[in-house]
Amino acid sequence: MSYTNSSIGSGSRTGRRAFEFGRTYVVRPKGKHQATIVWLHGLGDNGSSWSQLLESLPLPNIKWICPTAPTRPVALLGGFPCTAWFDVGELSEDCPDDFEGLDSSAAHIANLLSTEPADIKLGIGGFSMGAATALYSATCFAQGKYGNGNPYTVCLRTIIGLSGWLPGARNMRNKIQGSHEAARRAASLPILLCHGLCDEVVPHTHGERSNHALSLAGFQNLAFKSYDGLGHYTVPKEMDEVCNWLNARLGL
């Protein structure tokens, strides 16, 4: 559930291409189905490894959907193809975001959630690039539309991002604060961010900056947790935080 590249970011654009998403793994609730969370893996991973971890969590009332990203050329890897929710280059404020790829993945995730029963609480979580995609989905929910202008119709109840960053952070504040309805939705969405202080792939400072950008844009129900000694992976203490967050925010 981790990878070893020395840098990761919100990379370069590629030509318009249709990428096929991989296999989706589903963990059925062991108790009463009260919530459904789509969980997104990191670069080069797949939905299977996270589904095994999530199945072991003491959250019997959650259904987990773990899709696999498309295999696509990745700028970070010199164009070598691997599973990625969008194209990535270096982790830099000046590096252009692949909004076409982000919109495609966010729409795929929303489609997975759109068939859930009306009384089920919906959320998105992820690790690293998956966390970035989850946070991008949060901004789409707040604005009520994707970056390409198409409507975003899923009602999200929570977002979780582990060891990630926020794509499109530079322009988000103006987009959300320019609309009363977008500001209202942003303020209502609980977001948990967790990041290791020793993360060598997505540095802790990027998590801090993402938290700051979300706060400035009007996301008021934010929690940012730092973990001393934690690199670019997850540990039981962090997953305990996720469990406590979901139980409290979703009333499980």
Side-chain angles (χ1 to χ4, degrees), residues 54-94:
L54 296 168
E55 188 171 20
S56 71
L57 298 181
L59 294 168
N61 300 327
I62 293 181
K63 172 184 175 182
W64 300 95
I65 302 177
C66 302
T68 299
T71 298
R72 68 176 80 210
V74 177
L76 173 67
L77 306 178
F80 186 82
C82 72
T83 52
W85 299 108
F86 51 95
D87 192 17
V88 292
E90 59 189 290
L91 188 56
S92 166
E93 299 288 328
D94 301 319

Side-chain angles (χ1 to χ4, degrees), residues 3-112:
Y3 48 89
T4 57
N5 304 89
S6 61
S7 64
I8 178 161
S10 41
S12 61
R13 291 181 179 276
T14 57
R16 289 184 175 274
R17 292 180 58 187
F19 297 105
E20 183 177 346
F21 288 85
R23 179 177 173 183
T24 297
Y25 298 81
V26 177
V27 178
R28 303 288 176 185
K30 299 178 180 67
K32 180 183 178 183
H33 184 196
Q34 294 180 284
T36 296
I37 309 291
V38 171
W39 192 272
L40 308 172
H41 62 76
L43 178 65
D45 203 356
N46 60 63
S48 175
S49 56
W50 275 99
S51 70
Q52 295 171 47
L53 172 63
L54 296 168
E55 188 171 20
S56 71
L57 298 181
L59 294 168
N61 300 327
I62 293 181
K63 172 184 175 182
W64 300 95
I65 302 177
C66 302
T68 299
T71 298
R72 68 176 80 210
V74 177
L76 173 67
L77 306 178
F80 186 82
C82 72
T83 52
W85 299 108
F86 51 95
D87 192 17
V88 292
E90 59 189 290
L91 188 56
S92 166
E93 299 288 328
D94 301 319
C95 198
D97 292 299
D98 173 22
F99 286 110
E100 184 183 347
L102 283 160
D103 279 342
S104 175
S105 290
H108 181 70
I109 297 158
N111 186 56
L112 291 173

Side-chain angles (χ1 to χ4, degrees), residues 46 62 105 119 146 152 157 177 185 205 228 238:
N46 60 63
I62 293 181
S105 290
D119 61 336
Y146 298 94
Y152 189 92
R157 296 290 297 271
Q177 292 191 346
R185 282 192 293 262
T205 53
D228 191 28
E238 187 180 40

Side-chain angles (χ1 to χ4, degrees), residues 106-107 109-110 113 124 137 140-141 144-146 150-156:
I109 297 158
L113 290 170
I124 305 172
S137 295
C140 293
F141 164 72
K145 61 184 178 181
Y146 298 94
N150 292 337
Y152 189 92
T153 57
V154 174
C155 182
L156 298 177

